[in-house]
Amino acid sequence: MKTWSELPEVLSIAGLSQAYRDGALTPTALVEMLWQRLESAPARGVWISRLSLAQMQAYAEALAEQSPDDLPLYGIPFAIKDNIDLADLPTTAACPAYAYQPKQSAFEVRQLIAAGAIPVGKTNLDQFATGLVGTRSPYGACRNSFDPAYIAGGSSSGSAVAVATGLASFALGTDTAGSGRVPAAFNNLVGVKPTRGLLSTSGVVPACRSLDCVSIFALTAADAERVLRVANVYDAEDAYNRPDQPLPVPPGFASRFRFGVPKPEQLQFFGDHAAEALFADAIERLVEQGGSAVEVDIQPLLDAAGLLYAGPWLAERYLVAGELLRTTPEALFPVTLGILANGANLSAADAWRAFYRLQELKRQSDALWSQIDVLVTPTTGTIYPIAAVEAEPLELNSRLGYYTNFMNLLDLSAIALPAGFRANGLPFGITLCAPAFADRALLALAKRRAQSAPHTLGVSQILSAEFPEADSDDASGFVRVAVCGAHLSGLPLNPLLTGRGGVLLQSTHTAPSYRLYALPDGKRPGMVRAEPGAAIAVEVWALPIGRYGEFVAEIPPPLGIGSVQLQDGTSVQGFVCEAAAVREALDITDYGGWRAYLARPD
């Protein structure tokens, strides 16, 4: 029996659950290793507050008499958006002047803890859940997990980045206008926006109480489904909670379905040609998976989206923070203040005018579902650097809501899914949506899509996959590739991996039988198997076989690809160097790796 000595790069629910069942991991050991990771993780603006090690250990120790077979979320760490109550920590909604100490955890948090989940902390958000960017917080901008110069998406930014960077297995967010879907797309996650009212909002700071949903971020659709099953408990104390009325999943739905695609003139990518190409590819994949594409007119949906930041729903937002706005306006983030102030002067006539218009648009949009089973859109048309959003906060935020703002107004269910990577390494995502209570059908389709389109899988699915060799005839698999130089995360050549759908599996070391040399050009290292040797720091990436050949073709001499033995005894493909090339090179083995060598003092 092998006991885990370190955590994998990401924490899939399925993977942790299997480790618990195998006896290779305990909740207490998980907490201790996770704490070390939390303490050393790069600052990306993820957390507003975190539990102490002792508090997390108490949750783990409470599971000592339980079994992973009895509790569906046994020992699974999760993060909580800081507009959702956790009794151990204050709730701030990203506004220190608003903060309060809850007497008990939110209804959904209690369900998850009762199922064995271990809370980690409260995550950063756009203040009062007003925004889709993740930069509108006095606790700092939350940074994208793939490129910290880019936005993480909001308002549930911290929750998404916590999962994407291996600090939690899943996270709770909220979704009023897209906050559970946009961050999922920007961080290569699955984001479930359930039917409005399916999950309780008791213990949730409202944004628009009549529209708010508690959302779920996870690495895979299967993981998200497990969390949704636990969370889907009727709460009679929540006036907006609705008993589940699941629509039946048609026989064979996951293999034969009709999906709507917006008319070409209604698709907006805001100049992002890479996103446009990835959406076209996603449509092709859905057809290959048994779908029939149907072009549909989504203008009623777009018109409904235009109502969200007008009329009664903006006044709803004002209800939450209006007192602060009147008495302590400096407590609000400047952009948030400007948006909420517009809700102060709306009349009842304005509200009814909007209600009438929405009802008309809902009647028109309902006609779509006689033509299709699901609607497929980009989750967003593009993504922006943090600097661009700070320079133009309202317009760029509005663009991000183009495909998301209408869904809760029109009472739709939705799931955001990863759909590949741009050449610059940033992920792209699509969203499937359907009428209320179609949540199970959407999850069934998402799981089917993940199984039949492995090049778009989340990281944890890749971790549990079988990896064929590089000469396999199966062009849908992955090759594990160890990199030790400029292809490492954050270094100049890393986009050659991420741009081909590569996914980081782990940071590890080679077996102690290699030497590392700085080649004369000063730009790259050469790794040679030698005795005596040392363990060299490497990253192991999963690269789709269909893109592996072109990746290898770009490797200049004296480097090449060969077999590299890792510290756990396994072998993967990896960068090696011709021995003759290192005769005049600088031996940098003692640095332990290329990053350490680059970071050496002058």
Side-chain angles (χ1 to χ4, degrees):
M1 182 182 299
K2 181 180 178 182
T3 301
W4 283 18
S5 59
E6 60 181 33
L7 291 179
E9 192 74 20
V10 292
L11 305 176
S12 75
I13 296 176
L16 291 183
S17 295
Q18 188 61 53
Y20 288 134
R21 286 193 295 271
D22 292 343
L25 184 66
T26 66
T28 299
L30 177 281
V31 164
E32 291 172 354
M33 289 187 282
L34 181 57
W35 179 260
Q36 294 175 11
R37 177 176 290 180
L38 288 161
E39 288 291 280
S40 61
R44 290 182 182 268
V46 173
W47 304 102
I48 289 179
S49 59
R50 272 184 20 220
L51 296 182
S52 68
L53 176 58
Q55 287 172 310
M56 291 177 62
Q57 287 173 328
Y59 281 104
E61 290 163 3
L63 299 173
E65 303 302 319
Q66 302 289 331
S67 163
D69 294 323
D70 298 331
L71 297 175
L73 296 176
Y74 177 92
I76 304 299
F78 75 108
I80 304 163
K81 184 176 180 178
D82 199 16
N83 62 345
I84 302 173
D85 290 344
L86 174 66
D88 305 274
L89 295 171
T91 300
T92 72
C95 181
Y98 178 85
Y100 62 90
Q101 182 63 49
K103 295 180 180 178
Q104 66 174 357
S105 297
F107 181 88
E108 294 300 351
V109 172
R110 299 200 304 272
Q111 306 310 307
L112 298 169
I113 292 173
I118 298 174
V120 175
K122 307 294 290 298
T123 57
N124 203 359
L125 65 148
D126 283 322
Q127 191 175 69
F128 290 111
T130 301
L132 292 173
V133 290
T135 64
R136 300 173 177 177
S137 170
Y139 297 95
C142 186
R143 297 181 178 274
N144 188 279
S145 60
F146 286 83
D147 186 337
Y150 278 77
I151 60 174
S155 60
S156 309
S157 51
S159 289
V161 176
V163 176
T165 56
L167 305 179
S169 294
F170 72 92
L172 295 184
T174 59
D175 191 315
T176 304
S179 298
R181 291 159 279 158
V182 173
F186 290 173
N187 293 279
N188 203 45
L189 299 175
V190 171
V192 172
K193 186 215 77 67
T195 297
R196 196 180 68 211
L198 183 67
L199 300 187
S200 170
T201 55
S202 293
V204 177
V205 177
C208 292
R209 190 181 175 199
S210 66
L211 299 179
D212 294 340
C213 297
V214 171
S215 63
I216 298 166
F217 295 101
L219 293 161
T220 69
D223 278 3
E225 184 177 48
R226 187 185 300 202
V227 177
L228 184 63
R229 282 201 206 104
V230 170
N232 185 12
V233 176
Y234 180 65
D235 176 13
E237 300 300 313
D238 176 10
Y240 282 92
N241 198 206
R242 296 192 279 181
D244 196 3
Q245 306 163 45
L247 298 181
V249 180
F253 170 72
S255 58
R256 287 282 177 256
F257 57 96
R258 301 167 301 162
F259 67 92
V261 181
K263 296 166 66 174
E265 62 270 24
Q266 293 169 343
L267 285 169
Q268 289 285 347
F269 297 96
F270 308 101
D272 189 338
H273 300 298
E276 186 173 8
L278 286 166
F279 183 65
D281 181 66
I283 297 305
E284 290 181 12
R285 300 297 176 188
L286 286 168
V287 171
E288 291 171 3
Q289 294 152 27
S292 298
V294 180
E295 188 177 293
V296 294
D297 181 2
I298 65 165
Q299 194 58 50
L301 285 67
L302 300 177
D303 289 346
L307 298 174
L308 186 60
Y309 282 93
W313 303 284
L314 190 55
E316 263 194 295
R317 289 185 183 271
Y318 181 81
L319 283 176
V320 180
E323 182 64 26
L324 276 177
L325 190 146
R326 291 188 296 272
T327 62
T328 322
E330 64 275 11
L332 277 77
F333 201 74
V335 178
T336 310
L337 173 65
I339 294 169
L340 297 182
N342 292 328
N345 301 314
L346 294 164
S347 67
D350 294 327
W352 283 110
R353 189 178 296 111
F355 289 145
Y356 295 153
R357 178 59 176 152
L358 179 61
Q359 190 63 26
E360 294 169 358
L361 294 169
K362 188 174 188 321
R363 178 65 59 86
Q364 295 171 30
S365 65
D366 284 348
L368 284 178
W369 309 113
S370 64
Q371 307 171 54
I372 57 175
D373 300 304
V374 298
L375 175 67
V376 181
T377 69
T379 300
T380 69
T382 191
I383 183 172
Y384 296 107
I386 291 173
V389 168
E390 290 178 341
E392 201 172 355
L394 296 179
E395 173 58 27
L396 299 193
N397 187 93
S398 177
R399 293 179 187 178
L400 297 179
Y402 182 83
Y403 298 106
T404 64
N405 285 351
F406 55 80
M407 290 192 188
N408 283 349
L409 287 168
L410 296 174
D411 201 12
L412 304 177
S413 53
I415 184 168
L417 301 173
F421 292 83
R422 299 166 173 85
N424 63 3
L426 291 168
F428 172 77
I430 61 171
T431 292
L432 313 179
C433 74
F437 300 107
D439 308 270
R440 288 166 181 76
L442 292 176
L443 282 161
L445 183 53
K447 290 191 295 182
R448 163 75 179 182
R449 179 177 178 274
Q451 292 165 358
S452 59
H455 65 291
T456 62
L457 293 180
V459 176
S460 65
Q461 292 166 295
I462 294 172
L463 282 169
S464 62
E466 294 295 326
F467 291 88
E469 295 302 321
D471 59 356
S472 168
D473 291 333
D474 178 8
S476 67
F478 289 84
V479 181
R480 282 181 291 187
V481 181
V483 300
C484 62
H487 291 81
L488 292 166
S489 299
L491 295 186
L493 298 184
N494 186 248
L496 298 181
L497 288 164
T498 57
R500 292 183 168 93
V503 176
L504 178 63
L505 299 182
Q506 64 180 142
S507 298
T508 184
H509 289 80
T510 66
S513 52
Y514 291 87
R515 301 198 74 79
L516 193 67
Y517 297 85
L519 296 179
D521 62 11
K523 299 179 180 178
R524 51 193 173 145
M527 190 169 69
V528 177
R529 189 154 193 158
E531 296 293 347
I536 306 300
V538 295
E539 290 179 350
V540 180
W541 286 74
L543 191 65
I545 276 187
R547 310 298 300 275
Y548 178 70
E550 61 190 62
F551 172 73
V552 172
E554 291 179 345
I555 300 171
L559 302 182
I561 289 287
S563 181
V564 173
Q565 187 176 25
L566 302 179
Q567 64 180 5
D568 63 2
T570 62
S571 293
V572 297
Q573 300 294 302
F575 280 86
V576 294
C577 183
E578 298 173 16
V582 302
R583 289 173 184 161
E584 299 180 3
L586 177 64
D587 187 339
I588 60 170
T589 302
D590 290 343
Y591 287 96
W594 187 241
R595 286 188 195 278
Y597 172 69
L598 294 177
R600 69 195 186 283
D602 292 334

